[in-house]
Amino acid sequence: MQLLRDYFRDLIQTTSANWDRFWFTPADPATIGLLRILVGGMILYTHAVWSLNLNAFFGPHAWLNRDVVGLMQRDGYQWSYLWLCESPAALWTVHGLALAVCLLFMLGVWTRVTSILTCLITLSYAHRAPEAMYGLDQINGFLSLYLAVAYLGIEPRGSAYSLDRWMTSRNLPRPLPATSPSITANIATRLIQVHMCVLYLFAGLSKLQGEAWWDGTAIWGAFANLEYQSLDMLWLVHQPWLINLMTHVTVVWEITYIALIWGRLTRPIVLALAIPVHLGICCFLGMMTFGSIMLIANLAFVSPALIRGLLDRNTTRKFGHALSGPKWLQSSRKQNAGSKTSR
Amino acid sequence: METPPPTSESAPSAGILPAWSLRTRWIVSLLLLWHLSAVVVGPAAVAPTSGLMASLWDWYQPYLDALYLNHGYHFFAPEPGPSHLIRYELGFADGTEKSGLFPHKTQHQPRLLYHRHFMLSEHLSQFAEPGTPPEYLLAFSRSYASHLLVEHHAQQVKLILVRHLIPRPEQVLAGMTLTDKSLYFERPLGTFRADGTADLPKQITPANDSPTIPDQTAERLPERAPNRR
């Protein structure tokens, strides 16, 4: 009995300590800063493209009228401010403002506010025309949500790779104070990481219901789909073993992602495999934006030290320390060279 | 995290946050547990699913819907299948006619805009499956028709759902192309007029929703929220 009590006490204490360490350790906001730029850029592009056909998708006579969206969301809780725009003039005004907010968010201006607004904008467009959305919008949605969480606790002066930091530090002597580690930056990074694991797990498990993912022909079905195809890959018909290999690797990679991504030695392999998988979607299946946002989301698993190592030299040269990282991180880069992708 | 701790070189006066109190960590932990369980329930509740997951979905639906987290992440699952397009034939007051198709790779550029139109036709096609209540197919058809009538100032529009099957490898080896006529199947969705009247095929009228075009594989894309209909 005592043995059992000791076991559970140990279990609770260890779990509690690990939970605290996992979620509440302050993190350098470098990873979040890079993600803000890339995700902000993608959200800006996504919404800028709506401008080419804005009235057709969000105007009074849109493809999806109030009746059909109401039918799809009749027991839902989706809200969109775009329903309030009943004239093209109003629609274009709020759309222009939305693009401006997304641009400010990408650049890191008033980030605490613009991050929340960017999230609301992303959700509003998705809820207004849900049947015109696909994977890209789903990833945009949760990334914007988690970035908004991150910037709740990152002070403007501590916001990596942002104009906020530059604007609030213009009159300070150089070198600038360090960008301080932030708990919310860590929570947001962890949320993206865990969400990506869940996403890949269900993407993989759902494939197990299909015969083509077992008999190794599923990739053929994707490449031989004319409506998706952006590059002719029909030559693969002469290489059935290659089709089989790509099919099996895709499923195994997606299902094991949730386990292997956390290992120090296996993480680089898992991330390296993400590149051909998602580049294939970009180049062969015509979904450049979806493939790109998946790769961007995978950057949540790249340590801030590595990002500092790659980016700070250039940003320091161009903008001084206002946009780049703290001196202590730059010097510690060398010390961390051997464990840059571990966490 | 492997963030190096500040050293004597640093000047962390830019507002280092104090460690959160136990109470704060408890509150945030509960919020995290709620959120993470919702993130799992979302895809787990997509059919086929258990009664337990379906019940949990009822709890989490408002949260998942509001934050646009209600996705299955079933990319190309259970397996890649045929594509769907919508062909339309417009009739004008002066008696002229014009036809079109969406999505259209050359008309809808850049590619992201093409995919927006592609999703419109793909989502509609889900409701052309047997067993789906016909009011969904009718609502989508009416909505698309209404848009086309206004955009083109037409008097009437006929909508046709086009299913484009994927050739098997042996068919391609035998010389079949992706645009072979035998790979296309059409199903009329109805003729809709500017005055609000419509001629509907039997397939869309209630009590008869049998499909007229063959299914190639199990249902595929697009991504969708859990089916609560």
Side-chain angles (χ1 to χ4, degrees):
Chain A
M1 200 61 191
Q2 180 63 35
L3 200 65
L4 208 60
R5 240 193 325 262
D6 288 347
Y7 167 75
F8 279 111
R9 193 181 58 226
D10 192 27
L11 179 70
I12 291 168
Q13 285 175 349
T14 307
T15 305
S16 173
N18 286 339
W19 175 272
D20 271 1
R21 188 173 54 81
F22 186 84
W23 291 105
F24 301 118
T25 305
D28 176 13
T31 302
I32 287 294
L34 178 63
L35 283 172
R36 189 203 70 245
I37 294 170
L38 297 173
V39 173
M42 182 59 79
I43 291 175
L44 176 63
Y45 175 74
T46 303
H47 289 84
V49 168
W50 286 125
S51 312
L52 301 171
N53 232 332
L54 191 67
N55 283 322
F57 282 93
F58 303 101
H61 302 288
W63 283 106
L64 296 156
N65 62 25
R66 202 178 277 269
D67 291 342
V68 75
V69 176
L71 186 66
M72 296 304 293
Q73 299 178 345
R74 65 183 172 189
D75 54 355
Y77 299 83
Q78 298 91 334
W79 183 82
S80 169
Y81 65 80
L82 292 168
W83 288 117
L84 305 174
C85 304
E86 294 182 348
S87 71
L91 180 62
W92 275 101
T93 303
V94 296
H95 182 64
L97 289 172
L99 293 181
V101 167
C102 294
L103 177 65
L104 292 175
F105 170 64
M106 184 188 79
L107 297 173
V109 180
W110 307 313
T111 319
R112 195 172 285 178
V113 174
T114 53
S115 61
I116 295 170
L117 291 177
T118 299
C119 179
L120 290 175
I121 289 165
T122 306
L123 298 184
S124 279
Y125 278 72
H127 288 159
R128 168 59 187 87
E131 310 306 315
M133 304 292 154
Y134 68 113
L136 164 71
D137 307 284
Q138 299 168 13
I139 315 301
N140 277 349
F142 75 72
L143 288 178
S144 67
L145 174 67
Y146 297 147
L147 288 172
V149 169
Y151 283 97
L152 285 176
I154 298 177
E155 292 189 352
R157 196 182 298 173
S159 177
Y161 312 123
S162 74
L163 289 182
D164 272 345
R165 180 168 165 77
W166 179 76
M167 289 189 298
T168 54
S169 310
R170 272 178 299 185
N171 300 323
L172 293 179
R174 299 298 192 262
L176 285 175
T179 52
S180 43
S182 154
I183 294 177
T184 55
N186 181 49
I187 290 176
T189 308
R190 294 303 197 191
L191 283 169
I192 297 172
Q193 292 173 341
V194 174
H195 205 127
M196 290 300 288
C197 287
V198 173
L199 182 154
Y200 282 126
L201 179 66
F202 281 95
L205 290 178
S206 60
K207 288 177 174 64
L208 297 183
Q209 298 175 64
E211 193 180 316
W213 290 102
W214 285 99
D215 69 18
T217 60
I219 291 293
W220 168 259
F223 285 150
N225 186 315
L226 185 65
E227 280 68 41
Y228 276 102
Q229 189 185 77
S230 52
L231 201 65
D232 189 351
M233 297 293 287
L234 291 188
W235 57 268
L236 280 170
V237 76
H238 301 290
Q239 311 292 339
W241 62 270
L242 193 53
I243 294 171
N244 294 166
L245 181 68
M246 287 193 284
T247 302
H248 297 319
V249 166
T250 301
V251 175
V252 170
W253 176 75
E254 285 187 338
I255 290 175
T256 57
Y257 185 99
I258 191 170
L260 300 182
I261 196 68
W262 301 104
R264 187 175 63 85
L265 295 176
T266 50
R267 178 179 294 186
I269 299 169
V270 175
L271 290 179
L273 274 173
I275 295 171
V277 169
H278 292 304
L279 275 185
I281 292 172
C282 285
C283 301
F284 307 134
L285 298 183
M287 290 186 280
M288 188 65 79
T289 43
F290 176 62
S292 300
I293 199 67
M294 293 298 283
L295 284 173
I296 290 168
N298 271 283
L299 287 176
F301 284 100
V302 178
S303 76
L306 180 57
I307 287 168
R308 294 277 188 202
L310 293 171
L311 296 184
D312 280 10
R313 192 171 303 152
N314 289 331
T315 49
T316 303
R317 192 183 305 143
K318 289 181 182 172
F319 303 104
H321 289 283
L323 291 180
S324 65
K327 206 170 179 180
W328 57 263
L329 254 177
Q330 292 166 24
S331 61
S332 64
R333 226 171 35 222
K334 294 169 190 168
Q335 299 164 16
N336 290 326
S339 59
K340 277 177 178 170
T341 57
S342 65
R343 191 176 304 165
Chain B
M1 304 290 288
E2 60 177 16
T3 304
T7 66
S8 56
E9 286 183 82
S10 67
S13 59
I16 271 200
L17 294 170
W20 288 357
S21 67
L22 183 63
R23 186 180 168 189
T24 305
R25 280 184 279 131
W26 262 100
I27 293 170
V28 174
S29 294
L30 290 175
L31 292 172
L32 286 169
L33 284 172
W34 164 266
H35 176 79
L36 294 175
S37 52
V39 165
V40 173
V41 167
V46 175
T49 189
S50 67
L52 173 65
M53 282 300 160
S55 302
L56 286 173
W57 165 258
D58 291 337
W59 278 89
Y60 285 104
Q61 185 191 4
Y63 182 75
L64 290 168
D65 281 352
L67 293 181
Y68 194 55
L69 297 170
N70 50 0
H71 314 299
Y73 308 121
H74 291 190
F75 306 118
F76 287 98
E79 47 190 72
S83 299
H84 298 87
L85 307 99
I86 293 177
R87 191 161 63 79
Y88 56 89
E89 296 169 2
L90 297 159
F92 296 90
D94 61 3
T96 57
E97 293 183 345
K98 181 180 163 185
S99 63
L101 183 78
F102 68 88
H104 196 290
K105 277 186 179 173
T106 52
Q107 285 175 10
H108 300 137
Q109 289 288 342
R111 186 76 180 201
L112 179 54
L113 198 58
Y114 168 83
H115 267 278
R116 298 301 185 197
H117 290 87
F118 192 13
M119 289 303 105
L120 292 177
S121 60
E122 283 288 351
H123 277 109
L124 178 141
S125 76
Q126 291 182 333
F127 302 108
E129 297 300 318
T132 310
E135 62 260 32
Y136 285 88
L137 186 57
L138 182 58
F140 272 83
S141 302
R142 278 194 190 281
S143 185
Y144 294 176
S146 170
H147 169 75
L148 289 166
L149 287 169
V150 172
E151 185 176 86
H152 296 277
H153 307 289
Q155 286 297 303
Q156 69 170 39
V157 60
K158 182 180 180 184
L159 298 182
I160 301 115
L161 176 65
V162 181
R163 174 168 287 175
H164 185 188
L165 304 185
I166 298 168
R168 294 188 302 276
E170 56 269 26
Q171 290 176 306
V172 172
L173 283 171
M176 180 181 273
T177 64
L178 298 186
T179 53
D180 192 279
K181 279 185 179 176
S182 65
L183 296 172
Y184 290 89
F185 293 87
E186 296 194 346
R187 172 180 175 177
L189 296 172
T191 300
F192 302 84
R193 299 184 194 84
D195 61 10
T197 60
D199 295 332
L200 302 176
K202 283 182 181 175
Q203 292 92 337
I204 304 185
T205 53
N208 187 350
D209 61 340
S210 57
T212 58
I213 48 180
D215 190 12
Q216 182 177 37
T217 63
E219 185 55 34
R220 181 196 45 127
L221 281 176
E223 275 292 289
R224 55 177 309 177
N227 189 349
R228 297 258 92 57
R229 292 189 306 279

